[in-house]
Amino acid sequence: MNNAMGDRLVLVSWMRDRLPEYLWIALIIDKYDRTKALEKLYLIFKQLSEIDKEIPLPVFSQILQMEDINQKMFFDCVIEYTDKDVLAPLTLLYHYSEYPIFSKLFCNPKLTMLYRQKQLNEILRKSNPHQSNFATDIRFLVLFFLNLKNKLIFNSSMKDSIEGLSRYPYLSHDDEEMRSIRPFIRSSESMSMEMSEINNKEFLQDFWVKISIMSECELYVMNFPEEKSNTSEYIELVENIFKYFSDLFVAIAPLDKKMLVLFGIATYSYKRVREISDFKMFNSISARSTVRVIVENFIMMKYLILQEPLKSHIWDDFQEYGIGLYKAVVARSRDKNKDYSNSHIDPVYLEILVNHHKNEEFIDIDTSYFDKQNIRDKAIAVNEKDLWDHFYDYGSSYEHGLWGSIVESSLLMCDNPSHQGHYIPDVYNQQRLKNIWFDCVMIMNKTLMYLNDIYEIPVELLEKIKNYEQQLSQISTIEITE
Amino acid sequence: MNNSYLKSQLLKLQNEYCDILKISKGKLTTEDFPFVIDEINLFWFSNRSLIELILNNLYNDYNCFVHTGASFLDVDNLEHFPFATIGTNHLIDDPVANFSDTMPHVLNDDFRKRLKGQIILTTEQNIKIIENYSEIIQILPIRFLNSSDRTMSQTGAEKAFLGLFKDEKLTMNDYFKKYNNIEDVSNGLREHIEDLISLSEYEEEGSLIIRFKKFVSENALSLPKDTNGAVLFSSLIIGYFMQAFDILFVSLKYPLNPYLRYPIPFHYIHLLASSMPAHLDDLLLKIKIAYTIHKIFDTDKVKDVNFECYYKLLQNNNFSSNLIKVLKQHFDNPNQAPIKEFNKLIEDELCKLYEIAGKEILK
């Protein structure tokens, strides 16, 4: 849909693109009882439309561009119907050297800067939600102004809507009828600025630059709860299973490549999950990488089994593929001939691993996907697309440091309406992500159940990990209910 | 300063401030004065986060001096030369912001008029400084932006004031009830305290009562002149103590050294210094050196010297750090050194500097 409209699709925001023009109206509505405020604004609008017949909308940018004499007349009228201090907060943005008429009439130096800035922020916060009753009142007044200028034309079939509009100021927002009037007002107002062809980009930019540097951030921290269950208990259960696997492998077929690869992949998953428990990383960024990799490992195991009948060397191929990538690392470090003694990547050690079973000259380097298929296609092939859909792209975002994961994990959202919901770096590591333990256990158990289908784990060991997962899901259900 | 990005932001701020001052200059004498001042204050208020960032990050070598406790840096009388002589970075605590902060609290019309006059003069000086010397001297509203911390300095100042009296349990309420005039106050002070109380820069010697009465008759005060003497006295002395506390708080909050040209804030800071912890010795020494340099610097010796060249000379010769080294080598405790010897040593170093500066002109 976004592409279909091309350049004609222009996103216009109430908060960013229209509210700054109507903040003066918001300040007046906020000051008085609703009906009284609307009545005052009627009178002010009537005067405005008479003072400047060309002004298309009651937008502040146009008001401030009126000739001095008209500005004075208009603002005197505002003072007549309201109070000098009502618009005083706006003197923080529209000050003497640029807007002397406005400033001289409304600037009250006795009102501190902080007070005025707080007032501005509060009114911005109140008016910001575009579907709120308060914002709808403002938007209604815009339509009223258009009506004064005879620019509001309705189809004769819209009789109910027109009548609703005329009753709007006198109905309470709790009135049932308002549920149909308010959406009509909002949808009618939403195009008003575009239709009036008001060019106010500079005004809006100026507004946001000025208002944003004036106030402090109000940071919002996501602090999901830590894991409460006994994770060591689970690790011990899984450890027992892997002890069994290890004994099985050594006792029965220590040279069996299939067993080696399957147990190797599963052990890698187990060690990743174990790190989460040992170092209490349940809410961490690194934990998301673990979930992604144990999903990938599970899919890979199933894929290898699927391919086995077609490719008898699949187990060798898988090992050689991985070792080939290590060979590439070793070769590159040899070419560069640097000192890596302080690096965690030790080419000398890796060289030993690479040459352990076969001289590296006989090992190919393949930098494409294993078996020329990406993980998504593999997931489809083994009927685990749902698993891939839910976990993989999300984890990939963390793995590659893409913006979604950065926003979720490393930036704090600011709740200050003047800052347009910006983010600032989470310097003190306050953000705590949602706990991944349940997912880790679920996927680890899937892995073990799959291995059970091939190698049959002792029932009592299997039952224990199933019970653990069940108890964990019950704890999670209770937490959600609370 | 080796953070060029932050420095460029600081210089940008100076230029923007200069633009506002130029627009405001012509309007300060009109009835639009309050709106003009509001706009100046608004400029600083809007940029307070940036200023805080600058103050916290650009001067961590403890070698920045801030010209404070005064109306303005009189560049027409070459006061920027002695100011630049000590330290590697130089700030002026914007007097315009400080004055405008004081205005709403002033009840005396005469005083208000004088304050307005000061604002106008200072605005002109600020424009000159920014246009000609902004690479070396920058103007920031340091105490103005920390004015919300005044409760602490007010409490401290009142305590220091009450500490001058014999009655150790005296409170401010008691003071206003018991004392009605300067004679009452004089009788209530501890022994020898009168000699420590300084009222103005140019007062002659004499009893506190005579000096006070002369001061009231010759100076514009922030309170109406018919206010009782005890109230006037407390307002004056607490004001001086508050200024001293403000200066000290700012110096401790940021790594800044106050450059004081007037004896009053210097005097009251030293009155407070006796109760300060020893690790502030370095700060007090720098305050003393700066004050001395201002007092004894001979601007005639540099009147033909280009200011930028003079500043480069100071930096290339590490004049400031060498001076402090010399003082520390010569005196066990430079803060307690006899004034004449202390001043003489600084004067000798300055003479060497004048000579080098003189040679630079001939080049």
Side-chain angles (χ1 to χ4, degrees):
Chain A
M1 187 203 85
N2 290 332
N3 289 331
M5 299 285 286
D7 287 346
R8 277 177 287 178
L9 180 64
V10 175
L11 297 178
V12 177
S13 153
W14 161 251
M15 186 190 84
R16 272 195 297 273
D17 304 312
R18 304 204 298 283
L19 179 55
E21 294 275 22
Y22 300 132
L23 222 50
W24 70 279
I25 299 173
L27 284 165
I28 295 173
I29 299 175
D30 192 50
K31 170 85 176 175
Y32 300 98
D33 160 70
R34 181 172 173 262
T35 308
K36 197 169 175 190
L38 293 175
E39 280 171 2
K40 285 178 184 291
L41 280 156
Y42 292 156
L43 297 167
I44 291 169
F45 281 4
K46 276 178 92 169
Q47 287 285 312
L48 178 60
S49 66
E50 278 164 29
I51 290 168
D52 189 334
K53 299 200 188 308
E54 301 302 318
I55 197 167
L57 285 172
V59 289
F60 212 56
S61 60
Q62 300 270 307
I63 290 169
L64 292 174
Q65 279 173 36
M66 292 195 300
E67 283 179 26
D68 287 1
I69 188 167
N70 287 343
Q71 271 192 58
K72 179 86 175 49
M73 269 168 59
F74 172 69
F75 288 131
D76 280 340
C77 158
V78 171
I79 291 170
E80 186 192 334
Y81 291 120
T82 64
D83 182 82
K84 276 188 80 145
D85 283 350
V86 172
L87 297 191
L90 290 176
T91 57
L92 284 188
L93 306 172
Y94 312 113
H95 39 79
Y96 176 76
S97 60
E98 288 176 328
Y99 306 102
I101 312 280
F102 175 74
S103 177
K104 279 169 73 167
L105 286 170
F106 293 98
C107 178
N108 181 355
K110 288 193 179 131
L111 299 175
T112 64
M113 302 277 163
L114 259 173
Y115 172 81
R116 284 183 260 172
Q117 182 249 303
K118 254 182 105 176
Q119 295 288 100
L120 265 184
N121 250 34
E122 276 169 20
I123 202 69
L124 208 50
R125 190 186 296 281
K126 197 170 176 180
S127 320
N128 180 9
H130 67 109
Q131 291 180 328
S132 67
N133 294 342
F134 190 81
T136 309
D137 281 345
I138 301 170
R139 298 170 82 170
F140 166 77
L141 283 162
V142 174
L143 292 182
F144 172 75
F145 189 82
L146 283 170
N147 189 45
L148 272 179
K149 306 285 263 180
N150 296 320
K151 295 267 165 91
L152 208 57
I153 298 163
F154 293 106
N155 191 292
S156 54
S157 62
M158 295 165 83
K159 192 169 167 241
D160 288 342
S161 301
I162 299 164
E163 281 172 8
L165 272 185
S166 60
R167 283 197 294 277
Y168 179 86
Y170 306 104
L171 295 171
S172 155
H173 275 295
D174 296 328
D175 202 293
E176 191 60 30
E177 199 185 338
M178 288 288 239
R179 286 158 63 104
S180 58
I181 301 175
R182 285 190 296 253
F184 175 71
I185 288 170
R186 292 192 288 264
S187 62
S188 302
E189 184 276 332
S190 60
M191 288 303 294
S192 59
M193 209 164 286
E194 290 297 310
M195 302 294 281
S196 303
E197 293 179 334
I198 288 176
N199 184 358
N200 60 355
K201 278 200 174 68
E202 221 178 283
F203 174 85
L204 291 172
Q205 199 174 17
D206 195 50
F207 173 88
W208 285 113
V209 164
K210 281 180 179 162
I211 206 170
S212 62
I213 63 169
M214 230 179 265
S215 54
E216 316 271 323
C217 285
E218 294 166 30
L219 297 177
Y220 193 83
V221 178
M222 295 299 285
N223 221 337
F224 287 99
E226 291 177 344
E227 179 56 44
K228 288 179 193 144
S229 74
N230 185 354
T231 62
S232 310
E233 178 194 336
Y234 179 74
I235 295 300
E236 211 178 302
L237 297 175
V238 175
E239 188 185 78
N240 291 339
I241 294 176
F242 276 91
K243 177 78 172 66
Y244 172 75
F245 282 151
S246 183
D247 291 345
L248 193 72
F249 175 59
V250 167
I252 295 175
L255 301 179
D256 183 329
K257 287 173 186 174
K258 174 178 172 178
M259 230 187 213
L260 171 65
V261 168
L262 289 176
F263 287 165
I265 294 171
T267 306
Y268 180 74
S269 294
Y270 153 64
K271 284 199 76 169
R272 292 292 302 255
V273 171
R274 187 174 182 138
E275 277 178 357
I276 301 290
S277 171
D278 288 353
F279 298 107
K280 309 229 178 298
M281 289 157 59
F282 315 105
N283 305 89
S284 71
I285 294 171
S286 302
R288 271 121 180 93
S289 169
T290 295
V291 173
R292 179 181 180 266
V293 84
I294 64 177
V295 163
E296 187 164 352
N297 284 353
F298 175 63
I299 291 168
M300 185 62 81
M301 281 167 57
K302 289 186 82 171
Y303 182 79
L304 291 169
I305 294 287
L306 183 73
Q307 293 298 311
E308 187 185 20
L310 306 166
K311 297 173 186 176
S312 56
H313 294 290
I314 192 76
W315 308 109
D316 288 297
D317 292 344
F318 182 75
Q319 289 181 73
E320 200 158 306
Y321 173 77
I323 291 294
L325 292 175
Y326 262 36
K327 178 185 167 182
V329 172
V330 172
R332 280 196 289 266
S333 59
R334 270 194 213 122
D335 288 344
K336 290 194 170 42
N337 197 25
K338 278 184 176 168
D339 177 14
Y340 292 104
S341 48
N342 284 325
S343 171
H344 75 288
I345 301 169
D346 187 343
V348 173
Y349 176 55
L350 296 188
E351 193 180 344
I352 295 169
L353 294 179
V354 166
N355 286 278
H356 182 65
H357 279 296
K358 207 196 271 190
N359 272 351
E360 65 181 79
E361 290 82 4
F362 302 107
I363 298 173
D364 293 332
I365 298 174
D366 181 359
T367 54
S368 63
Y369 296 112
F370 172 69
D371 212 30
K372 310 288 185 233
Q373 266 202 326
N374 63 32
I375 194 70
R376 179 178 177 275
D377 292 339
K378 288 187 174 84
I380 292 168
V382 301
N383 293 321
E384 292 292 351
K385 177 75 170 29
D386 284 350
L387 204 64
W388 184 91
D389 280 343
H390 186 67
F391 289 108
Y392 199 78
D393 274 346
Y394 175 79
S396 293
S397 191
Y398 274 87
E399 207 58 27
H400 301 296
L402 299 180
W403 192 247
S405 63
I406 291 170
V407 162
E408 189 186 8
S409 65
S410 307
L411 301 175
L412 299 176
M413 209 182 291
C414 173
D415 201 30
N416 184 341
S418 305
H419 294 177
Q420 292 189 20
H422 76 156
Y423 300 107
I424 72 153
D426 182 14
V427 171
Y428 300 109
N429 198 27
Q430 295 171 276
Q431 195 98 300
R432 199 159 62 210
L433 298 167
K434 201 156 183 235
N435 180 0
I436 47 84
W437 186 243
F438 180 79
D439 288 327
C440 273
V441 167
M442 184 268 291
I443 298 162
M444 191 73 238
N445 278 5
K446 266 183 171 318
T447 306
L448 294 172
M449 298 307 286
Y450 186 69
L451 285 173
N452 177 57
D453 289 342
I454 305 167
Y455 297 111
E456 209 168 326
I457 298 168
V459 166
E460 61 277 11
L461 295 179
L462 211 59
E463 285 306 309
K464 282 179 181 172
I465 60 168
K466 280 186 198 170
N467 287 340
Y468 183 91
E469 187 181 343
Q470 177 126 15
Q471 279 169 15
L472 202 60
S473 70
Q474 282 167 358
I475 294 171
S476 303
T477 310
I478 291 167
E479 275 175 3
I480 291 165
T481 313
E482 279 172 1
Chain B
M1 268 192 272
N2 52 14
N3 184 329
S4 54
Y5 181 71
L6 217 46
K7 171 128 197 228
S8 70
Q9 293 297 313
L10 172 59
L11 294 178
K12 186 169 165 242
L13 211 58
Q14 298 298 293
N15 290 332
E16 286 170 3
Y17 184 46
C18 193
D19 290 340
I20 288 179
L21 289 178
K22 282 179 185 169
I23 295 169
S24 308
K25 203 170 83 159
K27 309 278 177 154
L28 284 170
T29 49
T30 68
E31 58 180 13
D32 292 350
F33 175 84
F35 311 119
V36 174
I37 292 299
D38 193 69
E39 182 163 0
I40 293 173
N41 291 347
L42 174 61
F43 173 76
W44 288 132
F45 175 78
S46 300
N47 287 289
R48 63 196 191 284
S49 300
L50 175 59
I51 294 166
E52 193 73 20
L53 190 67
I54 287 166
L55 291 173
N56 281 319
N57 289 283
L58 280 186
Y59 309 114
N60 291 328
D61 58 357
Y62 292 89
N63 254 324
C64 176
F65 278 78
V66 57
H67 188 275
T68 184
S71 52
F72 57 84
L73 182 72
D74 189 356
V75 295
D76 293 332
N77 284 314
L78 305 182
E79 281 189 2
H80 48 307
F81 277 86
F83 178 44
T85 302
I86 184 77
T88 49
N89 298 305
H90 302 87
L91 293 174
I92 295 175
D93 186 5
D94 188 13
V96 175
N98 288 330
F99 286 143
S100 59
D101 201 34
T102 309
M103 281 285 266
H105 308 291
V106 171
L107 304 174
N108 183 325
D109 278 341
D110 276 342
F111 193 83
R112 205 197 293 273
K113 271 191 201 135
R114 264 193 61 185
L115 212 48
K116 193 170 168 179
Q118 285 295 320
I119 291 174
I120 294 166
L121 260 173
T122 314
T123 302
E124 287 168 0
Q125 286 295 313
N126 279 359
I127 292 169
K128 260 186 216 164
I129 290 165
I130 297 172
E131 281 186 331
N132 296 299
Y133 310 118
S134 66
E135 283 283 337
I136 299 166
I137 302 171
Q138 296 88 36
I139 303 173
L140 290 175
I142 304 169
R143 277 192 296 143
F144 170 71
L145 287 183
N146 285 280
S147 56
S148 56
D149 296 339
R150 286 275 163 80
T151 327
M152 240 170 49
S153 54
Q154 171 123 15
T155 310
E158 283 176 1
K159 258 193 182 153
F161 173 74
L162 293 169
L164 302 172
F165 292 84
K166 286 179 216 166
D167 181 358
E168 285 174 2
K169 291 192 183 145
L170 190 68
T171 64
M172 287 309 300
N173 281 338
D174 293 339
Y175 173 86
F176 292 124
K177 279 186 198 151
K178 267 169 88 166
Y179 302 122
N180 294 303
N181 49 51
I182 190 62
E183 286 80 7
D184 292 343
V185 170
S186 179
N187 288 334
L189 289 171
R190 284 181 8 227
E191 226 179 309
H192 306 305
I193 284 289
E194 276 201 22
D195 302 331
L196 294 178
I197 293 175
S198 201
L199 301 174
S200 70
E201 190 177 353
Y202 301 112
E203 64 179 357
E204 289 157 7
E205 288 183 12
S207 75
L208 176 64
I209 295 168
I210 294 172
R211 287 187 285 130
F212 179 75
K213 285 183 176 169
K214 195 162 186 247
F215 178 85
V216 169
S217 68
E218 290 175 359
N219 290 281
L221 306 169
S222 59
L223 297 171
K225 284 220 171 168
D226 56 1
T227 310
N228 91 41
V231 172
L232 281 177
F233 179 76
S234 68
S235 160
L236 190 65
I237 304 302
I238 289 174
Y240 288 152
F241 273 128
M242 267 186 76
Q243 185 187 47
F245 269 114
D246 278 347
I247 291 169
L248 285 169
F249 283 146
V250 158
S251 304
L252 296 172
K253 182 176 175 183
Y254 312 108
L256 301 172
N257 307 297
Y259 179 96
L260 304 170
R261 58 170 288 189
Y262 285 128
I264 295 288
F266 181 75
H267 176 75
Y268 283 91
I269 282 177
H270 271 82
L271 277 186
L272 296 175
S274 54
S275 52
M276 284 197 181
H279 75 263
L280 295 179
D281 280 352
D282 250 359
L283 171 66
L284 293 171
L285 176 61
K286 285 176 177 172
I287 294 173
K288 194 173 169 183
I289 294 171
Y291 178 69
T292 307
I293 288 178
H294 180 80
K295 263 183 27 183
I296 67 176
F297 193 92
D298 186 353
T299 51
D300 270 345
K301 296 276 198 296
V302 294
K303 65 181 193 298
D304 296 322
V305 179
N306 172 273
F307 182 63
E308 279 80 18
C309 293
Y310 177 74
Y311 182 73
K312 262 196 197 121
L313 198 74
L314 291 166
Q315 303 311 311
N316 292 341
N317 288 286
N318 289 320
F319 177 81
S320 183
S321 48
N322 287 339
L323 174 63
I324 294 172
K325 225 184 267 178
V326 162
L327 287 167
K328 284 184 174 176
Q329 278 166 359
H330 199 86
F331 301 107
D332 287 335
N333 185 351
N335 279 326
Q336 308 288 344
I339 295 176
K340 275 199 178 136
E341 277 184 52
F342 186 87
N343 291 0
K344 180 78 177 52
L345 207 60
I346 293 178
E347 194 165 9
D348 289 343
E349 294 300 310
L350 285 175
C351 284
K352 292 177 197 166
L353 180 65
Y354 301 145
E355 213 177 316
I356 301 171
K359 285 179 185 161
E360 281 298 314
I361 304 169
L362 296 173
K363 278 185 197 171

